[in-house]
Structures are given as structure tokens and as C-alpha cells.
Amino acid sequence: MTLLIVDNIVKHYAAGERRILQAVNGVSFTLAANRTLGIVGESGCGKSTTAKLALGLVPASSGRISFAGREISALRDARWRSLRRSMQMVYQDPLAALDRRLTVGEQVIEPLTIHRLEANHAARREKALALFASVGLRSDLFTRYPHELSGGQRQRVVLARALILEPRLLICDEPISALDVSVGAQVINLLQDLKAQTGMAYLFISHDLKMVRQIADEVAVMYLGRIVEQGESEEIFRNPAHPYTEALISAIPSIRRRSRDRIVLKGDPPNPVDMPAGCPFHPRCPRAIAHCRSERPALRQGPDGRLVACHLAPSAGLLQRPAA
Ligand code: SF4
């Protein structure tokens, strides 16, 4: 069942006199229950803004977002609040997401109080303690303050706080980038277990492709506010079709076949206020041809179902891809 439909969303910000920062430019995707969509790309590519748009935390300049069959932008306060219960977000920095003045137990109970769920405080506390156990936290930590917990424990508290409302969609924005590798791996395993138990959908934002490969069913690669490649995760990791995806994947030693296969991109992404003409990736693309400088490639579906925005992709059907 399709839960989330993001249809051609655009987010532009004014950036001085007659200048526009194009943060997100016509992004579309759908997400079904029990599926994980990973959104990857370098910092500034628009992936976090896309997550906030999907959750309705920032208004879109244009485009439509529907959740569970209802268009989010058309909803008013009360209906929006009840829908928001089903869509929760986990951020990168658990300490920033928690209130230092309240015990972590109080903070897990709080969403139930706000939404007037459960009969009384005792029932809320019981539910919060059960969730504490299911995210792998000891009950004696319930009365501690955030600063008394480790980074991994705090991220588990943030997860418990998000999960207490039994959401159908969890948006995770770089959820383990503040954690060390082994703790991060535990949180990923926990997310996978929770998905298997509840059938929740995840929108997983990360620059860490190795980790996204572990958790995502489908991947969308963003560059300068646009999706440039999207498809089943394993297909993309085994055989990337867009030169940008190819370069990102080639930077992961455990995936790269030979060290000489590494594709090093020149420079940083251009300023989204001064978008290059033609393909936005052409100034850095190792495969660019003259045509790329004048015409922006559309995101087209190829025979394998994958979407790719590149003149050299088989889906473009225009040009033969030259050897690297
Ligand atoms: Fe590179 Fe051209 Fe494809 Fe853009 S359209 S990714 S510049 S080959």
C-alpha cells in the first residue's frame, strides 16, 4: 500500500536581488508500507530539505504531498495534528533533539500526553517503559537526564519518543552520523528489526552509501536539488547508471572492485543559486560530452524500471555511451 506520494515538489528560497536558491527542483517519489527509500547525495544536494517537505515541516513552493491518501498541504490544524502522529522524524543529533531539563522517560511519555493517548499517566508510563525495553534500553535509565546517557542510548531514546505514537512512516535524517561505527550499526539493526515487526515505512536520508545499501530497498540519488537516479537499491549499487552515482559508489572501498576504478570528482557541487546550464553535473562529470553543456537531461525510465537523468543512459535513447 502506497503511504507517501511526493509529486513534483519544488522549494526555492529568495537569495538576494532577483536571485533564487533552488534547494529542491521537481522531486517525485512514492513510498509504500514496509519499504525503505534511501535518499543520498553530497551535503547541500537537497536531501534534508526534501525530508522536511515530505513531513510538512517546511511549505513547498509548488508540488503536492499526500500521506495515507490525504493531501498534506490542504489539511488544517486538527486534522494535520492527527496525521502528524503517523509521521515521525529522527534527527542526526540526539542531544539537540532532547530537552536537557527533563528525564528521558518523561520525554518518551510526553507525546502520549500531548495527543491525549492512554487512560492516565500510569498507563502512559507503562507503555513508555515497554518501548524502552524494545529499543534496548534498561529501565533504570528511564529516570536519567540526556547528558547522563551515551550517544547510542540517547539515539535509542529519540527513537522510542518517535515510536511511542506508532507512526506508519519514520523519516530518519542522518540518524547515525553522530555515533561511532559499532553503535551506529546497532541502531541500524534495531531499525531493521522494528520495520520487520511493525511494517513501518522509512525515508532514510544519508551521505553514507554503505549504510544505505544495508537498509534501503530503493535508492534516490540527489544532485543539486534533483533526483538523478532512482531504483532498486541492489541494482543501483551493482550497476550504477548515472556518472554521479558511479562516482559516489566508487568512493566506497568495500564496493569498489579495484582501486584504479575510483572516480574522483573535480571540485565541489556548484552554488545552487548559480545553476549551470545544461546538465547541472556537467562541470564535474568525467563523461560529459558537448551536448551536456546545452541541454538538461530529463529523468527517464529505462527498460529495467530505473529512472536516470543522463544523456548517456540507455533510457535516454539518444546517444551511445562512450568508454570511460
Ligand atoms: Fe554527465 Fe552528460 Fe550524463 Fe550529465 S548528461 S551526467 S554531464 S554524461
Side-chain angles (χ1 to χ4, degrees), residues 89-104 107-108 137 144-162 172-180 183-184 187:
M89 187 147 179
V90 173
Y91 295 93
Q92 176 177 4
D93 180 0
L95 196 55
L98 295 169
D99 187 333
R100 290 159 198 251
R101 297 160 305 176
L102 296 176
T103 66
V104 292
Q107 295 187 65
V108 176
L137 288 167
R144 303 270 181 88
Y145 289 87
H147 69 271
E148 297 178 292
L149 271 57
S150 70
Q153 288 169 333
R154 283 195 288 261
Q155 196 57 297
R156 285 169 193 264
V157 171
V158 170
L159 263 176
R161 188 179 152 89
C172 304
D173 190 359
E174 303 278 9
I176 63 163
S177 58
L179 307 177
D180 69 39
V183 178
V187 171

Side-chain angles (χ1 to χ4, degrees), residues 30 35 48 61 102 134 136 138 147 164 182 184 246 267 269 285 308:
T30 60
R35 294 272 294 174
S48 290
S61 306
L102 296 176
S134 65
R138 300 190 316 267
H147 69 271
I164 194 108
S182 65
E246 209 176 352
C285 181
V308 185

Side-chain angles (χ1 to χ4, degrees), residues 228 241-244 278-289 291-293 295-297 308-313 322:
V228 295
H242 193 283
Y244 179 58
C279 172
F281 186 54
H282 88 257
R284 302 173 77 201
C285 181
R287 300 184 190 275
I289 53 173
H291 188 57
C292 305
R293 286 197 286 274
E295 191 174 325
R296 184 167 64 80
V308 185
C310 174
H311 293 311
L312 304 185

Side-chain angles (χ1 to χ4, degrees), residues 46-120:
K47 55 190 189 303
S48 290
T49 307
T50 300
K52 287 188 188 124
L53 288 163
L55 201 58
L57 293 178
V58 291
S61 306
S62 64
R64 288 185 323 126
I65 298 162
S66 307
F67 180 76
R70 285 190 284 180
E71 194 175 331
I72 289 176
S73 45
L75 293 176
R76 293 282 163 255
D77 293 351
R79 285 197 170 170
W80 170 226
R81 216 174 303 125
S82 84
L83 197 65
R84 269 299 306 278
R85 267 174 48 191
S86 302
M87 309 164 77
Q88 294 291 313
M89 187 147 179
V90 173
Y91 295 93
Q92 176 177 4
D93 180 0
L95 196 55
L98 295 169
D99 187 333
R100 290 159 198 251
R101 297 160 305 176
L102 296 176
T103 66
V104 292
E106 285 172 308
Q107 295 187 65
V108 176
I109 293 171
E110 197 177 38
L112 293 175
T113 312
I114 292 170
H115 289 279
R116 300 197 184 103
L117 300 172
E118 304 298 328
N120 51 39

Side-chain angles (χ1 to χ4, degrees), residues 146-279:
H147 69 271
E148 297 178 292
L149 271 57
S150 70
Q153 288 169 333
R154 283 195 288 261
Q155 196 57 297
R156 285 169 193 264
V157 171
V158 170
L159 263 176
R161 188 179 152 89
L163 296 174
I164 194 108
L165 294 173
E166 298 172 19
R168 297 167 73 189
L169 169 67
L170 192 65
I171 300 184
C172 304
D173 190 359
E174 303 278 9
I176 63 163
S177 58
L179 307 177
D180 69 39
V181 176
S182 65
V183 178
Q186 287 169 18
V187 171
I188 293 299
N189 289 340
L190 173 61
L191 285 169
Q192 282 172 314
D193 291 347
L194 289 167
K195 184 177 147 201
Q197 286 161 23
T198 63
M200 247 186 311
Y202 291 152
L203 189 59
F204 203 89
I205 312 295
S206 181
H207 68 279
D208 182 343
L209 272 82
K210 206 171 143 199
M211 191 256 298
V212 168
R213 186 183 199 182
Q214 245 183 292
I215 196 163
D217 303 300
E218 199 179 332
V219 172
V221 182
M222 285 189 73
Y223 188 76
L224 281 180
R226 290 191 166 91
I227 292 177
V228 295
E229 181 162 6
Q230 184 176 353
E232 289 299 309
S233 175
E234 263 321 293
E235 288 288 310
I236 287 185
F237 279 98
R238 262 194 281 117
N239 183 24
H242 193 283
Y244 179 58
T245 317
E246 209 176 352
L248 292 181
I249 290 174
S250 84
I252 310 168
S254 59
I255 300 181
R256 191 170 65 229
R257 269 169 290 199
R258 294 165 301 184
S259 59
R260 68 184 173 86
D261 290 342
R262 168 127 202 223
I263 300 164
V264 180
L265 291 178
K266 291 173 277 178
D268 295 319
N271 185 339
V273 176
D274 293 310
M275 209 63 93
C279 172

